Amino acid sequence: MLLLFQLFSLLATPFLPLLVLLPRLRVGFLERLGMAKIGVEPGAIWIHAASLGEGRLAANLISGLQERLDLPILRTCSSATARNVDVGADQTLLLPFDNPLLLGRMLDRVRPRILILVEAELWPCLIAAAARRQVPVVVVGARVGQGLRRLAQLPGLWAALRRNLVWMPVDAEAAAFGGGEPTGDLKANAQSPTAPLRWKGDAVIGACTYVEEEGPLLEAVRKLNPRPLLVLAPRESDRFGTVAAWLQQQGENFVRRSSLADGRVPPGVQVLLLDSFGELGSLYVNAKAAFIGGTFVARVGGHSPMEAAAVGCPVVHGPHTRTNAAAFDALDSFLCLDPDDLVESLTEAMAAPRSNSAAIQGQDRIDRVVDRLVPLLRPSAAPERWLRPLLWPLSLFWSLATALRPRPLTRARIPVISVGSLLAGGAGKTPVAAWLAERLTGQPVVVSRGYGRRRGSDVRTNGEAKDLGDELCMLARRGLRVASAPDRRLAVERAASEGATIAVLDDGLQVGALARDLEVVVVDARWPGGGGPIPVGERRLPWSWLGKADVVWVNHGPLPDVLRPYLKKDVVVVEARYRAAAWLRRGQKLPLDSLPKRPSVAMAGIARPEGFFRQLRRLGIRPVRSWAYPDHHNFTWMDLQSIEAWLDDHLVLLTEKDAARLPRDLGAHALVVEPELVSGEEELLRLLQSRGWRS
């Protein structure tokens, strides 16, 4: 049955673009086709939380995981509304349609350590594709809803899916359905990041209400003395206009949240219609009581009360609580069996003291779930797959050209250390070249062809980014000697004639005109194969070239096992990670904690911009806007004007490489990131010392 499901989904692939005709699916349609740019590094935690409700649980889970693990987190959702609510993930995208091709491609790009499905969002093609890629799939807060019951009625499908799932049920009913130990409701403490609205006096919240409940709730609030403000949050967003018309018909003095620019509810307003998203969770802290919607509607079975309970807001509910039975049973709430009794229940609730016991229990539950999740994570990213497998025939021409490339023949007057990579870019060669140059004795020079410099074959040893290339300009601003030329042999000779005693070739592995005295090959552990040879992927040289390496410098993780057979026996293996070291502003280095308390914007024009944005999040910085430009982006006059405009009332944060392409006195803050060697440093320094390049 699972194979048939995937087959039918596969046959439907050509017709998926027609779904753009449905207005509900039009927003983010390219994301639904799996064509979004992935903004997290391989090895991320992937959490799928379909809508706003599941997103509140995901916010708790993400917070708990981030406290325990230093890993990027991707959150996907099914609702365009939910996508716009920040739950703390590094990136939020719409989940592609449940299609083997679309989801397989996304899994190959994300290569997660684990896939976490919140509640009962079971997509057969997604689960099967993850299982084929050895990605653990966990259902957290699993519930038994109508969708799961329908799925279980298909012969053999549930059994096939269950074999690939770790089931963490929310209550005894879900445990009986799929096994596992109940976790309890995990939505406590799921606070919205949105600043709360402000009002004077008492307020009662009608949370996630339906048409059957709104009339009785309004009548009950009218009878309370003194009458509190009613904050009415309908469950279905397409009813906002209908509810507003109904309130007007009822003669209520009401206001829609969307009309309050400053968040202040005017005096005399009787009903606040909450027609916004992601804000409800932040309002319970200032409410005297909350009525939980769906509890007077048998088909719904009640929504979760844990957000209100987490901040001690007294909870009122009707008799239908089966969907969140465990959560309601754990609360000292106010049960109202009949809508006519709402006045009495609300009166008692508003007089009741607040309690934080639910928040403590909720955090304890999250901690226990995180304890169970951590051992399930893969130790590294899921295995690489070819990015564009249909282009394999063309890769043969590239491999042939590489094999025919001439070998180094000319030896320079000074020793030459080559720092290169098998990939076309983004492995982190320049930081390695800088690290070496800073530790060599004598007069080292960093030599590069100067990507992005203005045309010309001459050798340049000073100037700005347009003269040297942005990477050499960045190193020159650090105080290192540099030389830029398309012909690296000429650049080394020129530097030697001007007093340089040793040359470090940045991106020198494939340079065929110059002999090397030490070969350093840089590997990014997250993309060791680059998704295949060019044009299938980004690998420009075969793995066999690793046999030339005297030093293999591995960034962002241990040496991948797939590369070990290609190494020489006496090779030195270095493992490094990268840490933020300082801010650079107008040529002056500043401590990391020296940023003024102002809103910020961020921009990055490097090969892997997601790494820079993640560094900012590690520092506790969440820019109000972020831009990712192509690598070596040439900032235009219009870009410069825009940056200067932002500087009026924001901090502008960029990478050190981007800052090299901008005026020194601009006033932006550039993040200085330096390698931190985890292993192999002593062996590398001894090797340099044995060659006489380090005292």
Side-chain angles (χ1 to χ4, degrees), residues 5 26 54 83 93 127 139 145 192-193 236 242 248 271 281 301 348 410 449 458 460 472 629 631 637 671:
F5 190 99
R26 211 166 286 161
E54 289 86 356
R83 184 189 59 171
L93 296 171
I127 295 170
V139 183
S192 166
E236 297 152 336
T242 303
Q248 188 171 16
V271 180
E348 293 176 359
T410 304
R449 69 187 177 101
D458 57 316
R460 302 168 190 166
L472 284 188
Y629 297 106
D631 195 14
W637 179 84
L671 185 63

PDB file of all heavy atoms in Angstrom, residues 5 26 54 83 93 127 139 145 192-193 236 242 248 271 281 301 348 410 449 458 460 472 629 631 637 671:
ATOM      1  N   PHE A   5       0.898   4.115  -2.857  1.00  0.00           N
ATOM      2  CA  PHE A   5       0.707   5.532  -2.527  1.00  0.00           C
ATOM      3  C   PHE A   5       1.793   6.375  -3.193  1.00  0.00           C
ATOM      4  O   PHE A   5       1.513   7.415  -3.800  1.00  0.00           O
ATOM      5  CB  PHE A   5       0.735   5.704  -1.007  1.00  0.00           C
ATOM      6  CG  PHE A   5       0.311   7.069  -0.547  1.00  0.00           C
ATOM      7  CD1 PHE A   5      -0.982   7.300  -0.093  1.00  0.00           C
ATOM      8  CD2 PHE A   5       1.192   8.145  -0.562  1.00  0.00           C
ATOM      9  CE1 PHE A   5      -1.376   8.563   0.328  1.00  0.00           C
ATOM     10  CE2 PHE A   5       0.813   9.402  -0.144  1.00  0.00           C
ATOM     11  CZ  PHE A   5      -0.489   9.607   0.310  1.00  0.00           C
ATOM     12  N   ARG A  26      -1.500  29.322  -3.513  1.00  0.00           N
ATOM     13  CA  ARG A  26      -0.725  30.210  -4.374  1.00  0.00           C
ATOM     14  C   ARG A  26       0.451  30.841  -3.641  1.00  0.00           C
ATOM     15  O   ARG A  26       1.530  31.035  -4.206  1.00  0.00           O
ATOM     16  CB  ARG A  26      -1.659  31.289  -4.930  1.00  0.00           C
ATOM     17  CG  ARG A  26      -1.277  31.788  -6.299  1.00  0.00           C
ATOM     18  CD  ARG A  26      -2.408  32.589  -6.907  1.00  0.00           C
ATOM     19  NE  ARG A  26      -3.507  31.738  -7.358  1.00  0.00           N
ATOM     20  CZ  ARG A  26      -4.739  32.171  -7.584  1.00  0.00           C
ATOM     21  NH1 ARG A  26      -5.031  33.442  -7.384  1.00  0.00           N
ATOM     22  NH2 ARG A  26      -5.665  31.339  -8.005  1.00  0.00           N
ATOM     23  N   GLU A  54       0.431  23.577  16.087  1.00  0.00           N
ATOM     24  CA  GLU A  54       1.628  22.755  16.175  1.00  0.00           C
ATOM     25  C   GLU A  54       2.882  23.624  16.300  1.00  0.00           C
ATOM     26  O   GLU A  54       3.870  23.228  16.915  1.00  0.00           O
ATOM     27  CB  GLU A  54       1.755  21.863  14.940  1.00  0.00           C
ATOM     28  CG  GLU A  54       0.738  20.738  14.861  1.00  0.00           C
ATOM     29  CD  GLU A  54      -0.569  21.200  14.219  1.00  0.00           C
ATOM     30  OE1 GLU A  54      -0.693  22.414  13.920  1.00  0.00           O
ATOM     31  OE2 GLU A  54      -1.461  20.365  14.004  1.00  0.00           O
ATOM     32  N   ARG A  83       3.846  30.020   8.505  1.00  0.00           N
ATOM     33  CA  ARG A  83       5.210  30.321   8.051  1.00  0.00           C
ATOM     34  C   ARG A  83       5.655  31.705   8.503  1.00  0.00           C
ATOM     35  O   ARG A  83       6.848  31.943   8.729  1.00  0.00           O
ATOM     36  CB  ARG A  83       5.283  30.218   6.524  1.00  0.00           C
ATOM     37  CG  ARG A  83       6.688  30.416   5.976  1.00  0.00           C
ATOM     38  CD  ARG A  83       6.704  30.518   4.475  1.00  0.00           C
ATOM     39  NE  ARG A  83       5.903  31.614   3.965  1.00  0.00           N
ATOM     40  CZ  ARG A  83       5.889  32.023   2.704  1.00  0.00           C
ATOM     41  NH1 ARG A  83       6.617  31.404   1.820  1.00  0.00           N
ATOM     42  NH2 ARG A  83       5.129  33.020   2.320  1.00  0.00           N
ATOM     43  N   LEU A  93      10.085  27.145   6.166  1.00  0.00           N
ATOM     44  CA  LEU A  93       9.642  26.992   4.784  1.00  0.00           C
ATOM     45  C   LEU A  93       8.326  26.234   4.752  1.00  0.00           C
ATOM     46  O   LEU A  93       7.972  25.537   5.717  1.00  0.00           O
ATOM     47  CB  LEU A  93      10.674  26.207   3.960  1.00  0.00           C
ATOM     48  CG  LEU A  93      12.051  26.827   3.750  1.00  0.00           C
ATOM     49  CD1 LEU A  93      12.989  25.813   3.100  1.00  0.00           C
ATOM     50  CD2 LEU A  93      11.952  28.082   2.898  1.00  0.00           C
ATOM     51  N   ILE A 127       7.922  10.286   4.951  1.00  0.00           N
ATOM     52  CA  ILE A 127       8.450   9.292   5.891  1.00  0.00           C
ATOM     53  C   ILE A 127       9.249   8.231   5.141  1.00  0.00           C
ATOM     54  O   ILE A 127      10.346   7.830   5.568  1.00  0.00           O
ATOM     55  CB  ILE A 127       7.294   8.665   6.690  1.00  0.00           C
ATOM     56  CG1 ILE A 127       6.638   9.733   7.581  1.00  0.00           C
ATOM     57  CG2 ILE A 127       7.779   7.490   7.530  1.00  0.00           C
ATOM     58  CD1 ILE A 127       5.352   9.290   8.234  1.00  0.00           C
ATOM     59  N   VAL A 139       7.775  11.151  15.792  1.00  0.00           N
ATOM     60  CA  VAL A 139       6.525  11.892  15.933  1.00  0.00           C
ATOM     61  C   VAL A 139       6.413  12.306  17.394  1.00  0.00           C
ATOM     62  O   VAL A 139       6.271  11.462  18.285  1.00  0.00           O
ATOM     63  CB  VAL A 139       5.311  11.042  15.520  1.00  0.00           C
ATOM     64  CG1 VAL A 139       4.034  11.875  15.618  1.00  0.00           C
ATOM     65  CG2 VAL A 139       5.481  10.521  14.101  1.00  0.00           C
ATOM     66  N   GLY A 145      -6.092  11.738  15.693  1.00  0.00           N
ATOM     67  CA  GLY A 145      -7.111  12.599  15.111  1.00  0.00           C
ATOM     68  C   GLY A 145      -7.812  11.911  13.958  1.00  0.00           C
ATOM     69  O   GLY A 145      -7.547  10.750  13.632  1.00  0.00           O
ATOM     70  N   SER A 192       4.414  33.488  22.580  1.00  0.00           N
ATOM     71  CA  SER A 192       4.588  34.173  21.302  1.00  0.00           C
ATOM     72  C   SER A 192       5.659  35.243  21.434  1.00  0.00           C
ATOM     73  O   SER A 192       5.738  35.936  22.439  1.00  0.00           O
ATOM     74  CB  SER A 192       3.265  34.830  20.883  1.00  0.00           C
ATOM     75  OG  SER A 192       3.489  35.742  19.841  1.00  0.00           O
ATOM     76  N   PRO A 193       6.514  35.422  20.410  1.00  0.00           N
ATOM     77  CA  PRO A 193       7.516  36.478  20.465  1.00  0.00           C
ATOM     78  C   PRO A 193       6.934  37.863  20.220  1.00  0.00           C
ATOM     79  O   PRO A 193       7.606  38.857  20.421  1.00  0.00           O
ATOM     80  CB  PRO A 193       8.472  36.091  19.329  1.00  0.00           C
ATOM     81  CG  PRO A 193       7.611  35.350  18.363  1.00  0.00           C
ATOM     82  CD  PRO A 193       6.596  34.621  19.196  1.00  0.00           C
ATOM     83  N   GLU A 236     -10.974  29.995  12.979  1.00  0.00           N
ATOM     84  CA  GLU A 236     -10.818  29.976  11.523  1.00  0.00           C
ATOM     85  C   GLU A 236     -10.661  31.398  11.001  1.00  0.00           C
ATOM     86  O   GLU A 236     -11.544  32.242  11.176  1.00  0.00           O
ATOM     87  CB  GLU A 236     -12.031  29.291  10.882  1.00  0.00           C
ATOM     88  CG  GLU A 236     -12.156  27.823  11.314  1.00  0.00           C
ATOM     89  CD  GLU A 236     -13.594  27.331  11.296  1.00  0.00           C
ATOM     90  OE1 GLU A 236     -14.502  28.180  11.410  1.00  0.00           O
ATOM     91  OE2 GLU A 236     -13.795  26.111  11.185  1.00  0.00           O
ATOM     92  N   THR A 242     -16.833  37.738   8.981  1.00  0.00           N
ATOM     93  CA  THR A 242     -18.178  37.354   9.419  1.00  0.00           C
ATOM     94  C   THR A 242     -18.390  37.697  10.885  1.00  0.00           C
ATOM     95  O   THR A 242     -19.455  38.208  11.275  1.00  0.00           O
ATOM     96  CB  THR A 242     -18.379  35.836   9.201  1.00  0.00           C
ATOM     97  OG1 THR A 242     -18.148  35.535   7.827  1.00  0.00           O
ATOM     98  CG2 THR A 242     -19.780  35.418   9.594  1.00  0.00           C
ATOM     99  N   GLN A 248     -20.979  43.840  14.992  1.00  0.00           N
ATOM    100  CA  GLN A 248     -21.622  45.110  14.657  1.00  0.00           C
ATOM    101  C   GLN A 248     -23.140  44.982  14.750  1.00  0.00           C
ATOM    102  O   GLN A 248     -23.825  45.883  15.265  1.00  0.00           O
ATOM    103  CB  GLN A 248     -21.202  45.535  13.250  1.00  0.00           C
ATOM    104  CG  GLN A 248     -21.673  46.940  12.871  1.00  0.00           C
ATOM    105  CD  GLN A 248     -21.067  47.402  11.566  1.00  0.00           C
ATOM    106  OE1 GLN A 248     -20.551  46.605  10.806  1.00  0.00           O
ATOM    107  NE2 GLN A 248     -21.128  48.700  11.305  1.00  0.00           N
ATOM    108  N   VAL A 271     -15.205  44.728  22.928  1.00  0.00           N
ATOM    109  CA  VAL A 271     -14.704  43.485  22.341  1.00  0.00           C
ATOM    110  C   VAL A 271     -13.521  43.809  21.441  1.00  0.00           C
ATOM    111  O   VAL A 271     -13.594  44.709  20.600  1.00  0.00           O
ATOM    112  CB  VAL A 271     -15.795  42.760  21.515  1.00  0.00           C
ATOM    113  CG1 VAL A 271     -15.227  41.472  20.915  1.00  0.00           C
ATOM    114  CG2 VAL A 271     -17.013  42.453  22.375  1.00  0.00           C
ATOM    115  N   GLY A 281      -0.841  33.702  22.216  1.00  0.00           N
ATOM    116  CA  GLY A 281      -0.086  33.167  23.347  1.00  0.00           C
ATOM    117  C   GLY A 281       0.484  34.229  24.256  1.00  0.00           C
ATOM    118  O   GLY A 281       0.689  33.988  25.451  1.00  0.00           O
ATOM    119  N   GLY A 301     -13.623  18.625  19.921  1.00  0.00           N
ATOM    120  CA  GLY A 301     -13.051  17.985  21.095  1.00  0.00           C
ATOM    121  C   GLY A 301     -12.111  18.848  21.904  1.00  0.00           C
ATOM    122  O   GLY A 301     -11.369  18.350  22.751  1.00  0.00           O
ATOM    123  N   GLU A 348     -16.045  32.597  38.788  1.00  0.00           N
ATOM    124  CA  GLU A 348     -15.153  31.846  39.659  1.00  0.00           C
ATOM    125  C   GLU A 348     -13.717  31.889  39.143  1.00  0.00           C
ATOM    126  O   GLU A 348     -12.760  32.019  39.919  1.00  0.00           O
ATOM    127  CB  GLU A 348     -15.625  30.398  39.774  1.00  0.00           C
ATOM    128  CG  GLU A 348     -16.956  30.235  40.500  1.00  0.00           C
ATOM    129  CD  GLU A 348     -17.426  28.795  40.491  1.00  0.00           C
ATOM    130  OE1 GLU A 348     -16.712  27.947  39.900  1.00  0.00           O
ATOM    131  OE2 GLU A 348     -18.489  28.518  41.078  1.00  0.00           O
ATOM    132  N   THR A 410      57.590  24.435 -12.518  1.00  0.00           N
ATOM    133  CA  THR A 410      58.506  25.505 -12.148  1.00  0.00           C
ATOM    134  C   THR A 410      58.612  25.616 -10.632  1.00  0.00           C
ATOM    135  O   THR A 410      57.599  25.644  -9.927  1.00  0.00           O
ATOM    136  CB  THR A 410      58.024  26.851 -12.722  1.00  0.00           C
ATOM    137  OG1 THR A 410      57.868  26.725 -14.125  1.00  0.00           O
ATOM    138  CG2 THR A 410      59.017  27.952 -12.399  1.00  0.00           C
ATOM    139  N   ARG A 449      44.809  34.636  -7.245  1.00  0.00           N
ATOM    140  CA  ARG A 449      44.512  35.278  -8.534  1.00  0.00           C
ATOM    141  C   ARG A 449      43.646  36.517  -8.350  1.00  0.00           C
ATOM    142  O   ARG A 449      43.515  37.323  -9.263  1.00  0.00           O
ATOM    143  CB  ARG A 449      43.827  34.303  -9.480  1.00  0.00           C
ATOM    144  CG  ARG A 449      42.410  33.904  -9.109  1.00  0.00           C
ATOM    145  CD  ARG A 449      41.923  32.793 -10.032  1.00  0.00           C
ATOM    146  NE  ARG A 449      40.596  32.301  -9.696  1.00  0.00           N
ATOM    147  CZ  ARG A 449      39.488  32.641 -10.341  1.00  0.00           C
ATOM    148  NH1 ARG A 449      39.556  33.493 -11.345  1.00  0.00           N
ATOM    149  NH2 ARG A 449      38.330  32.146  -9.996  1.00  0.00           N
ATOM    150  N   ASP A 458      48.724  42.313 -14.516  1.00  0.00           N
ATOM    151  CA  ASP A 458      49.820  42.778 -13.679  1.00  0.00           C
ATOM    152  C   ASP A 458      49.713  42.223 -12.262  1.00  0.00           C
ATOM    153  O   ASP A 458      48.649  41.808 -11.811  1.00  0.00           O
ATOM    154  CB  ASP A 458      49.831  44.307 -13.628  1.00  0.00           C
ATOM    155  CG  ASP A 458      48.511  44.873 -13.132  1.00  0.00           C
ATOM    156  OD1 ASP A 458      47.446  44.378 -13.590  1.00  0.00           O
ATOM    157  OD2 ASP A 458      48.511  45.772 -12.273  1.00  0.00           O
ATOM    158  N   ARG A 460      49.685  42.834  -8.348  1.00  0.00           N
ATOM    159  CA  ARG A 460      49.301  43.934  -7.452  1.00  0.00           C
ATOM    160  C   ARG A 460      49.514  43.513  -6.008  1.00  0.00           C
ATOM    161  O   ARG A 460      49.108  42.425  -5.606  1.00  0.00           O
ATOM    162  CB  ARG A 460      47.840  44.319  -7.669  1.00  0.00           C
ATOM    163  CG  ARG A 460      47.561  44.736  -9.110  1.00  0.00           C
ATOM    164  CD  ARG A 460      46.081  44.838  -9.388  1.00  0.00           C
ATOM    165  NE  ARG A 460      45.829  45.004 -10.826  1.00  0.00           N
ATOM    166  CZ  ARG A 460      44.641  44.861 -11.401  1.00  0.00           C
ATOM    167  NH1 ARG A 460      43.590  44.531 -10.658  1.00  0.00           N
ATOM    168  NH2 ARG A 460      44.508  45.013 -12.702  1.00  0.00           N
ATOM    169  N   LEU A 472      41.797  38.963  -0.723  1.00  0.00           N
ATOM    170  CA  LEU A 472      43.130  39.500  -0.456  1.00  0.00           C
ATOM    171  C   LEU A 472      43.050  40.881   0.189  1.00  0.00           C
ATOM    172  O   LEU A 472      43.877  41.217   1.046  1.00  0.00           O
ATOM    173  CB  LEU A 472      43.940  39.567  -1.746  1.00  0.00           C
ATOM    174  CG  LEU A 472      44.488  38.237  -2.274  1.00  0.00           C
ATOM    175  CD1 LEU A 472      45.430  38.487  -3.440  1.00  0.00           C
ATOM    176  CD2 LEU A 472      45.198  37.447  -1.186  1.00  0.00           C
ATOM    177  N   TYR A 629      23.427  37.744  -0.633  1.00  0.00           N
ATOM    178  CA  TYR A 629      23.847  38.080  -1.990  1.00  0.00           C
ATOM    179  C   TYR A 629      24.692  36.942  -2.561  1.00  0.00           C
ATOM    180  O   TYR A 629      25.193  36.088  -1.819  1.00  0.00           O
ATOM    181  CB  TYR A 629      24.686  39.362  -1.983  1.00  0.00           C
ATOM    182  CG  TYR A 629      23.952  40.590  -1.513  1.00  0.00           C
ATOM    183  CD1 TYR A 629      24.206  41.139  -0.261  1.00  0.00           C
ATOM    184  CD2 TYR A 629      23.016  41.224  -2.326  1.00  0.00           C
ATOM    185  CE1 TYR A 629      23.545  42.280   0.183  1.00  0.00           C
ATOM    186  CE2 TYR A 629      22.356  42.365  -1.901  1.00  0.00           C
ATOM    187  CZ  TYR A 629      22.621  42.889  -0.647  1.00  0.00           C
ATOM    188  OH  TYR A 629      21.965  44.007  -0.225  1.00  0.00           O
ATOM    189  N   ASP A 631      28.060  35.078  -3.938  1.00  0.00           N
ATOM    190  CA  ASP A 631      29.437  35.166  -3.469  1.00  0.00           C
ATOM    191  C   ASP A 631      30.188  36.247  -4.252  1.00  0.00           C
ATOM    192  O   ASP A 631      30.015  36.400  -5.456  1.00  0.00           O
ATOM    193  CB  ASP A 631      30.118  33.803  -3.655  1.00  0.00           C
ATOM    194  CG  ASP A 631      31.416  33.706  -2.877  1.00  0.00           C
ATOM    195  OD1 ASP A 631      31.658  34.560  -2.006  1.00  0.00           O
ATOM    196  OD2 ASP A 631      32.182  32.761  -3.137  1.00  0.00           O
ATOM    197  N   TRP A 637      26.438  51.484  -6.182  1.00  0.00           N
ATOM    198  CA  TRP A 637      26.173  52.776  -5.533  1.00  0.00           C
ATOM    199  C   TRP A 637      24.818  52.747  -4.838  1.00  0.00           C
ATOM    200  O   TRP A 637      24.673  53.281  -3.736  1.00  0.00           O
ATOM    201  CB  TRP A 637      26.210  53.883  -6.586  1.00  0.00           C
ATOM    202  CG  TRP A 637      25.932  55.242  -6.013  1.00  0.00           C
ATOM    203  CD1 TRP A 637      26.827  56.082  -5.403  1.00  0.00           C
ATOM    204  CD2 TRP A 637      24.667  55.917  -5.977  1.00  0.00           C
ATOM    205  NE1 TRP A 637      26.205  57.236  -4.991  1.00  0.00           N
ATOM    206  CE2 TRP A 637      24.865  57.170  -5.334  1.00  0.00           C
ATOM    207  CE3 TRP A 637      23.393  55.597  -6.426  1.00  0.00           C
ATOM    208  CZ2 TRP A 637      23.844  58.075  -5.133  1.00  0.00           C
ATOM    209  CZ3 TRP A 637      22.371  56.505  -6.224  1.00  0.00           C
ATOM    210  CH2 TRP A 637      22.598  57.727  -5.592  1.00  0.00           C
ATOM    211  N   LEU A 671      31.746  41.082  11.229  1.00  0.00           N
ATOM    212  CA  LEU A 671      32.044  40.019  12.188  1.00  0.00           C
ATOM    213  C   LEU A 671      33.331  39.309  11.779  1.00  0.00           C
ATOM    214  O   LEU A 671      33.433  38.759  10.678  1.00  0.00           O
ATOM    215  CB  LEU A 671      30.892  39.016  12.241  1.00  0.00           C
ATOM    216  CG  LEU A 671      31.004  37.912  13.290  1.00  0.00           C
ATOM    217  CD1 LEU A 671      31.019  38.499  14.693  1.00  0.00           C
ATOM    218  CD2 LEU A 671      29.866  36.910  13.146  1.00  0.00           C
TER     219      LEU A 671
END
